[in-house]
Amino acid sequence: MVSVKKKAQVFYDKSYKNKGLKAQRKYPNEELCRFFGRNYFSIKKNIRKKIKILETGSGSCGNLRMISKEGFSAYGIDFSKEAINLSKKLFKKEKLVCNFEVGDFTSMSYKNSYFNCVVDVFSSCTLDKKNGEIYIKEINRILKKNGRFFTYFPSKKSDMFNFKTRILHDSNTLLSLNQKSAYNTDHTLRFMSMLQYCNILKKNNFKIDYKEELMRTYFSGTEKFYFLVIEASKYKDL
C-alpha cells in the first residue's frame, strides 16, 4: 500500500512534469503578503539579508519569488524533485537567490534554531494527522527563539471535508471523495479546526499571535471552503 506522503509526492511530480510551473500559482498568497506586511516589510533593506525564511512546500515558487525579491535570505524545501528542478531554473533565469532542497517536511536536514521564519501555504496539509504533528515539532526545532511560523491551512468547516461521499484516512485527513470539489482528491488532504491547530501549536511551545478563518466559494457559490490563517511565535525549545 502506497503511503500518504508517497502518494502526494507522485501526484506533484507528475503534475510539475506535465504542466511545469503552471501547475501552481505564479504570484504570492494574499494572506502571506499581509503577514509580511505586519512583520517584515518595515525592516530596512540592508538588514533583510540576515533574516532566514524557509517555505516548506515551495512548489512553483510564487511565494519564494516575493521573499527573494524583497531581499530576505530565502530557502525552499519540497518533496517533489520536479518542482525543485523547475524552481532552480526559474531563479537562475530571473537572477534571484534561494537555497533549494528536495526533502521530507517531517525530517529536515537544517540545523536547530536556524530560521527566523517558516512559511507553510497549503503544503503540510498533504501530511496525515500523525505526520502533521511531527511536522510541527520539526518547525519548533529549526526555528530560532521568537521565530515566526505562518500557516494557511484547510478548515474542517469546509464543505469538502463534510460531504457524505468522503472517505477518511484518519479523523483529520480526507483520503478520497467521490464527487467534484474545490480541490484535487488524487492525494490526501488534511483539515483541522482552529481550536485543534492552535492547541497543537501551543503544545509545541508556540504562542498564537494572529488567527483568522476565511471563506471563499466555488462553482458559482455552491461550495464553501474555509481557510485557517495562523501566525505563531516560538517561545522555547521542546
Side-chain angles (χ1 to χ4, degrees):
M1 185 175 181
V2 178
S3 71
V4 167
K5 286 192 287 185
K6 185 64 178 178
K7 188 177 180 181
Q9 181 185 349
V10 169
F11 169 81
Y12 281 106
D13 272 339
K14 183 179 179 181
S15 181
Y16 283 110
K17 187 174 183 178
N18 292 339
K19 300 178 183 177
L21 292 173
K22 291 181 180 179
Q24 296 289 319
R25 63 159 66 214
K26 181 178 180 181
Y27 298 103
N29 174 270
E30 299 87 342
E31 293 305 317
L32 180 65
C33 291
R34 293 186 176 97
F35 165 74
F36 271 86
R38 290 191 297 272
N39 296 287
Y40 293 107
F41 286 154
S42 61
I43 296 172
K44 293 180 179 179
K45 295 275 186 174
N46 62 329
I47 299 175
R48 292 184 183 185
K49 202 63 184 174
K50 298 177 182 178
I51 300 173
K52 297 185 180 75
I53 299 177
L54 169 70
E55 181 176 21
T56 58
S58 50
S60 58
C61 290
N63 300 315
L64 276 180
R65 286 172 73 238
M66 176 192 73
I67 291 167
S68 182
K69 283 181 178 181
E70 288 292 334
F72 299 100
S73 186
Y75 292 73
I77 184 172
D78 202 290
F79 57 14
S80 170
K81 187 176 180 180
E82 292 286 342
I84 293 297
N85 288 339
L86 287 166
S87 298
K88 286 179 177 178
K89 291 176 183 177
L90 173 68
F91 270 58
K92 184 177 181 180
K93 180 181 178 181
E94 296 192 355
K95 297 180 179 179
L96 295 172
V97 178
C98 183
N99 299 276
F100 288 109
E101 182 173 318
V102 178
D104 185 336
F105 303 164
T106 62
S107 181
M108 293 182 274
S109 65
Y110 308 113
K111 295 178 181 178
N112 295 351
S113 303
Y114 189 72
F115 292 103
N116 301 95
C117 176
V118 176
V119 170
D120 167 35
V121 178
F122 228 74
S123 291
S124 70
C125 55
T126 59
L127 301 171
D128 62 14
K129 183 178 179 180
K130 179 182 176 181
N131 284 296
E133 295 198 18
I134 294 171
Y135 168 79
I136 297 300
K137 292 181 187 296
E138 270 291 271
I139 299 305
N140 177 284
R141 182 185 68 77
I142 64 176
L143 267 179
K144 297 176 184 288
K145 187 178 180 181
N146 299 318
R148 292 187 174 92
F149 174 56
F150 171 86
T151 183
Y152 184 81
F153 196 91
S155 166
K156 280 188 172 180
K157 286 185 181 179
S158 301
D159 288 346
M160 185 177 181
F161 184 75
N162 294 290
F163 283 138
K164 291 181 179 179
T165 60
R166 71 178 188 175
I167 298 173
L168 296 180
H169 169 77
D170 58 46
S171 60
N172 291 351
T173 312
L174 186 66
L175 182 63
S176 64
L177 188 67
N178 296 320
Q179 66 185 83
K180 184 179 179 181
S181 189
Y183 287 90
N184 195 293
T185 54
D186 287 342
H187 60 82
T188 53
L189 189 63
R190 183 165 50 104
F191 296 74
M192 284 195 281
S193 69
M194 180 66 80
L195 181 61
Q196 272 184 306
Y197 207 155
C198 288
N199 283 343
I200 290 170
L201 288 167
K202 289 174 183 177
K203 185 176 73 175
N204 286 279
N205 296 341
F206 284 93
K207 178 172 71 72
I208 308 302
D209 300 313
Y210 178 94
K211 61 180 182 178
E212 295 289 348
E213 193 160 13
L214 310 178
M215 187 274 288
R216 65 163 295 179
T217 62
Y218 293 82
F219 309 119
S220 300
T222 59
E223 181 180 346
K224 293 179 180 178
F225 201 100
Y226 290 80
F227 303 86
L228 305 178
V229 180
I230 305 173
E231 174 187 333
S233 53
K234 169 186 165 178
Y235 61 85
K236 68 176 181 178
D237 294 329
L238 287 173

